[in-house]
Each structure stands twice: as C-alpha cells, then as structure tokens.
Amino acid sequence: MRHRGPALPAEDGDEGEVRRHIPDYLLLTGQVPVVVDVKPLHRLSKAEVELTFDWTRQTVESRGWKYEVWSEPPAVELENIRFLAGYRRDWLFSPEVLEELREVDLDGVVLGQVAGCLPGRPEPQVRSAVHHLLWNQTFFTDLDRPLGPSHVLRRAA
C-alpha cells in the first residue's frame, strides 16, 4: 500500500535544526510498518542523499519500524528481466506445451536440457514456453548472470 502522507518532522540532535523528509512508500505489513525510499543507484553516494537517508533511518527505526532504500536492480538482472518480458503474453504459447512443462519434473534441470524433456515438441516452441514459465514465476533461476543454457531451473514453492 502506498502512502504519500505528511513528512517526517523531527529535530536533528546533531545540529538542532528541524528536518523534514517525505519517504516514497509506507508498507503496512503483518509485522511492523516499513518505510521505503527509492533512489537511482548512482545518486545514493551523494552526500545530501546519504545524510537524508541516514537521518530517516534513525527516525523511522526509533519508532520500532523498518526502513529500506530501494534502487534499480543490477544491469545484468535488469537485462534478463527485459529479455523474459518478451515472453509474458499467455496467448502466444501453446496451452498444451505449457501444461506438459508444468507436469514434467524440471526442478534442477538446466535450461539447455529442457527441450529434451518434451521430445515430441519442436525445440524452439519448448524453449520459448519455458521462458514464459520463468516470466510468470512457475519456475525460477538465478538472474544475476546473463541467462543461458547452464542456468538451473527451480520450481516455485
């Protein structure tokens, strides 16, 4: 749940001035609220941003809440996500092939061997269907390195 409410006003103990900052998100969880700021990775090292986020962390955590800073994912992960996004449209894939892949035990199988698990189906059709199943999180794999045939598939819990 996004909440763009009032700023966090507080007196800064170091300088005695009143600071204000409006975080980007307030997530209401089953445990404690989580306050989130979002900033591009290249801006996180700027002194003003560091000062503001350090102050915000102290202010939020002093209330017993959690504080997080989010940025874009690493470049390789983002490229993998963009690649898999090309396989997001359900209607482009054979429902039969998708069902067959869901029924086969692919947990621990490397991506390059998936086509051999459905020998009666064309390899390009099976490869694209498994990419679709990665996109919709039927299966998972490590996206921290460029996606390739040695990636191990894991079934979603």
Side-chain angles (χ1 to χ4, degrees):
M1 166 182 240
R2 182 179 167 109
H3 174 71
R4 190 83 171 169
L8 290 174
E11 187 173 313
D12 186 341
D14 295 336
E15 300 174 19
E17 66 181 88
V18 174
R19 293 184 177 270
R20 292 173 35 92
H21 173 63
I22 301 173
D24 294 304
Y25 293 95
L26 172 61
L27 306 176
L28 302 176
T29 68
Q31 295 83 33
V32 299
V34 179
V35 174
V36 178
D37 272 311
V38 179
K39 193 67 70 182
L41 198 56
H42 71 276
R43 294 190 52 206
L44 290 179
S45 61
K46 294 186 182 267
E48 180 180 318
V49 172
E50 284 181 351
L51 182 65
T52 298
F53 286 178
D54 286 343
W55 173 81
T56 303
R57 178 178 306 284
Q58 292 171 11
T59 303
V60 168
E61 290 178 353
S62 73
R63 291 173 166 81
W65 295 6
K66 288 177 64 176
Y67 178 69
E68 297 178 4
V69 176
W70 295 351
S71 292
E72 67 275 7
V76 171
E77 184 178 345
L78 188 56
E79 285 304 312
N80 284 332
I81 292 168
R82 285 183 177 141
F83 171 76
L84 291 173
Y87 297 91
R88 69 186 177 273
R89 293 177 181 89
D90 290 327
W91 56 272
L92 292 174
F93 305 95
S94 160
E96 294 82 17
V97 172
L98 293 172
E99 188 57 35
E100 288 176 35
L101 285 171
R102 286 185 190 103
E103 290 175 0
V104 173
D105 183 13
L106 295 178
D107 193 55
V109 174
V110 294
L111 202 50
Q113 294 177 345
V114 171
C117 295
L118 299 181
R121 299 288 185 176
E123 187 175 326
Q125 189 179 40
V126 176
R127 265 198 326 267
S128 63
V130 81
H131 288 139
H132 174 69
L133 294 174
L134 281 166
W135 172 258
N136 71 22
Q137 299 179 346
T138 300
F139 296 103
F140 292 92
T141 194
D142 176 20
L143 297 179
D144 294 342
R145 58 188 176 91
L147 199 56
S150 65
H151 274 72
V152 177
L153 294 176
R154 296 289 172 210
R155 184 168 290 282

